[in-house]
Each structure stands twice: as structure tokens, then as C-alpha cells.
Amino acid sequence: SAVISQKPSRDICQRGTSLTIQCQVDSQVTMMFWYRQQPGQSLTLIATANQGSEATYESGFVIDKFPISRPNLTFSTLTVSNMSPEDSSIYLCSVARSETQYFGPGTRLLVL
Amino acid sequence: ELKVEQNPLFLSMQEGKNYTIYCNYSTTSDRLYWYRQDPGKSLESLFVLLSNGAVKQEGRLMASLDTKARLSTLHITAAVHDLSATYFCAVDRSGGSNYKLTFGKGTLLTVNP
């Protein structure tokens, strides 16, 4: 299994501001992923974060809006930039290990 | 573009009954996941199905994968209240092991006494 922690667990932000979400894993992993779960919806992959290279973004997500860092094999950050109410979601990081993908507890973001 | 469809989206069951949740997907993949999500919580991994014909069971839940039909099922046997949750299936869009998952919309299961 994998033990994943995220900070903050929740936040309320004003529109136009930015929030950086941190994800920490208990041991080294090659690939980390960021997902978004909008209220009452399913999960959508935002990007894949690989250590030592630029993140790979999925269709509909861009680096200017969701910059990602991956400074080492146990840590990643996702920034939600210039937020609007439409960014209100749960943001989850996940890691792949032993043929399974594990998810962190999520960061619940409300943008006013 | 890979599409993953779950049905039903809402399921209300009585305790002790059996039911099946279906997960259809649109392109070839040999890797399918089932997750459980409780309200306000993250996703808990239930099953990983890695090949055609794979069947896995844990307690009252059994999952199977038919890659030719592009269909996975999650069968619930003798449901109990504790199984009430939202269940998601997810498919690896590469068909292999890049772990980029496309999720179904989820099935909200309510088990009534």
C-alpha cells in the first residue's frame, strides 16, 4: 500500500488568488498524479508529475493554471492559480505502486 | 477518447439482497480498477483486474473483467448496511501500465435495513 498525506485538507479562498497543495508519500515513487473531483462528480486526471521532468497535462488543463512541481521522489505540489468559483473541487494526488493506484485524502477547496 | 460508463448510477438495495454494478468501456484495456468512496472521504482501492477473465473476491464483493466485451462487473452478495458508499470503476487509458485512469461516474449504493 501507500501512505499519502496532503496539505491543506481544506481551504476557502477568494477569487483571483492562488493556492498550493502539497502531497507527501511515505516512500519513493516514480509517477505521481493529480486529479480533480468536482462536487458530486467523478474524478478527472489533471496531470502526471514525474521527478526531473515537466509535468504532462491532460486535455483541458494547462500549466499556467495548474503549475506542478516534483522536486523529489516523495513530494509534489499542485498550484491552482487565479482561482474562480468553478475551481471549487476536491483535489487528490495519487501514486502507482504494485499494480495499484492509491489516492491521498484530498484537499477540499471552496472559492468564493 | 476512452469512455467509461457505469450503471446504475443510483442503487437502493435491501439488506440481504444481491445485485450487480456494470462498467463498460469503449477502447481496449487490460487493466481495470474498482474503488469505494465514503462521503467526505478519499478513494479506497477494492480490486485491480489485470487480465481477461480475472475474478477477484473480498467479502461480499466480487469483481470480474471481460476484456473482449469491454465489461467489468462488481457483484454484491447479501448486502449489508456497511456497504453503502459510492463505487467507481476506472480504466487505464493506455491499456497497459501508464496508470492514467479514466473514471466512470460512480454508483451511489444505499443499503437499507
Side-chain angles (χ1 to χ4, degrees):
Chain A
S1 66
V3 179
I4 305 171
S5 60
Q6 286 185 232
K7 289 181 182 179
S9 60
R10 61 180 67 237
D11 208 340
I12 301 174
C13 300
Q14 297 297 318
R15 68 173 67 208
T17 63
S18 298
L19 177 72
T20 296
I21 302 167
Q22 299 178 6
C23 177
Q24 180 78 49
V25 189
D26 60 337
S27 61
Q28 294 181 350
V29 291
T30 302
M31 291 187 287
M32 295 178 76
F33 306 87
W34 288 97
Y35 285 81
R36 179 174 75 180
Q37 186 176 25
Q38 293 177 300
Q41 303 295 315
S42 187
L43 282 79
T44 302
L45 179 64
I46 298 171
T48 304
N50 296 321
Q51 195 264 340
S53 63
E54 293 283 334
T56 305
Y57 289 83
E58 298 300 310
S59 176
F61 297 96
V62 295
I63 187 171
D64 290 345
K65 177 68 176 177
F66 297 101
I68 287 171
S69 77
R70 182 80 197 274
N72 59 54
L73 291 174
T74 63
F75 187 79
S76 178
T77 67
L78 169 76
T79 299
V80 186
S81 302
N82 188 25
M83 288 184 285
S84 67
E86 291 70 34
D87 294 319
S88 297
S89 294
I90 302 172
Y91 293 86
L92 301 102
C93 71
S94 75
V95 303
R97 181 178 289 164
S98 303
E99 305 286 2
T100 300
Q101 195 159 7
Y102 298 95
F103 286 81
T107 295
R108 285 156 178 77
L109 172 62
L110 177 63
V111 184
L112 302 177
Chain B
E1 179 189 345
L2 173 61
K3 293 188 191 311
V4 180
E5 293 186 359
Q6 277 182 246
N7 67 84
L9 298 182
F10 300 94
L11 177 54
S12 181
M13 299 176 62
Q14 289 217 309
E15 280 191 329
K17 299 292 187 184
N18 304 333
Y19 210 84
T20 300
I21 299 170
Y22 297 89
C23 177
N24 290 91
Y25 53 97
S26 61
T27 62
T28 302
S29 179
D30 290 333
R31 187 177 293 248
L32 189 138
Y33 302 77
W34 284 97
Y35 290 92
R36 168 180 173 147
Q37 187 176 40
D38 291 292
K41 305 289 188 182
S42 187
L43 277 74
E44 173 191 354
S45 177
L46 294 175
F47 301 108
V48 183
L49 303 170
L50 298 176
S51 62
N52 185 43
V55 177
K56 292 195 174 179
Q57 183 164 4
E58 180 73 33
R60 301 175 187 276
L61 301 178
M62 183 173 72
S64 66
L65 178 62
D66 181 343
T67 59
K68 292 182 171 54
R70 299 176 186 166
L71 171 69
S72 179
T73 60
L74 180 66
H75 187 72
I76 303 155
T77 301
V80 294
H81 180 68
D82 286 352
L83 290 179
S84 298
T86 299
Y87 293 84
F88 291 97
C89 66
V91 178
D92 189 316
R93 64 183 68 173
S94 74
S97 58
N98 76 0
Y99 296 104
K100 294 185 177 184
L101 302 186
T102 298
F103 280 78
K105 291 187 175 181
T107 297
L108 176 59
L109 171 65
T110 303
V111 181
N112 303 303

